[in-house]
Amino acid sequence: MPVVPVVVAAVLVGLLAAPPLRGLIAYFAVPEGEPWCGACPVCGRVVRLLPPTGRCPGCRGRLGAGAGVVEAVTVAVAVAVAYAADGPQAMALGWAGALGVALGFVDGRVHRLPHRLNLALLAGVAVLLTAAALAEGRPGVLLRCLLVALTVGALLEVAVQIGALGPGDSPLGLALGGLLGWYGWWVAIGGLVAAVVLAGLWATLWVAALLIRRRPWRGLDVPVGPFLLLGALTAVLAR
């Protein structure tokens, strides 16, 4: 398949997906204990779609992520998914990529992974992988997906119980484990390793920046969700 039309189509899909994803990010990116942001806090306008500026169409107040950031990330993810697509499981990969953008931004902003988004991700991946397995005549692959999902979810849940991760990380790992299980155990292991390496690299660079600027720090609260998502995508691309 020609590369240029695929990339152009992926870019268009990413741009079309960005406004509703911005709406999801603005809705869920609120601190723990506060109600979801169903309307602009300034003018009260209900917003489901947001322009690339990230501002309310009514009062021009800032909502969610900064201008152009969600669009850039969504387009990059769409291109990566298009590059990795090689079968009917591409629909599940695309679903994970879209919701992964929302989850990553929310976790990065307020350090939480809403269960509603995690559940939507898990349900979509399960349904789409089941359809892909049946379409390819490979129902047996679903057992491996389930085993990998349970293994990754259990490992992350142990980290949650000892206080190393937040409560939303293990459900996210369950969904990503199921998706990576389609490609095999080694891809799933690679995704976890990549997530750890990327999180460690980010933390190291952050501390180095604080030391250079001579700013005090008493530890880091690293949002793990974005690195789990990026690690999973990296493993799929590198397989």
Side-chain angles (χ1 to χ4, degrees), residues 207-222:
V207 171
L210 291 177
L211 292 176
I212 291 173
R213 298 170 67 181
R214 296 183 179 180
R215 292 193 174 184
W217 62 282
R218 297 181 179 179
L220 289 176
D221 186 9
V222 179

Side-chain angles (χ1 to χ4, degrees), residues 61-87:
R62 173 71 66 188
L63 287 173
V69 180
V70 175
E71 289 70 25
V73 173
T74 306
V75 166
V77 170
V79 172
V81 168
Y83 175 81
D86 59 356

Side-chain angles (χ1 to χ4, degrees), residues 38-140:
C40 175
V42 178
C43 67
R45 176 171 178 165
V46 177
V47 179
R48 294 289 180 262
L49 305 175
L50 281 173
T53 58
R55 295 187 177 277
C56 172
C59 67
R60 308 298 297 167
R62 173 71 66 188
L63 287 173
V69 180
V70 175
E71 289 70 25
V73 173
T74 306
V75 166
V77 170
V79 172
V81 168
Y83 175 81
D86 59 356
Q89 79 281 2
M91 292 295 293
L93 186 60
W95 177 257
L99 283 187
V101 170
L103 282 162
F105 271 97
V106 172
D107 197 21
R109 287 176 64 85
V110 296
H111 290 237
R112 65 185 302 193
L113 293 166
H115 290 302
R116 285 169 60 181
L117 283 181
N118 271 337
L119 182 60
L121 174 60
L122 179 59
V125 166
V127 170
L128 293 171
L129 285 184
T130 300
L134 295 178
E136 284 199 340
R138 300 171 56 199

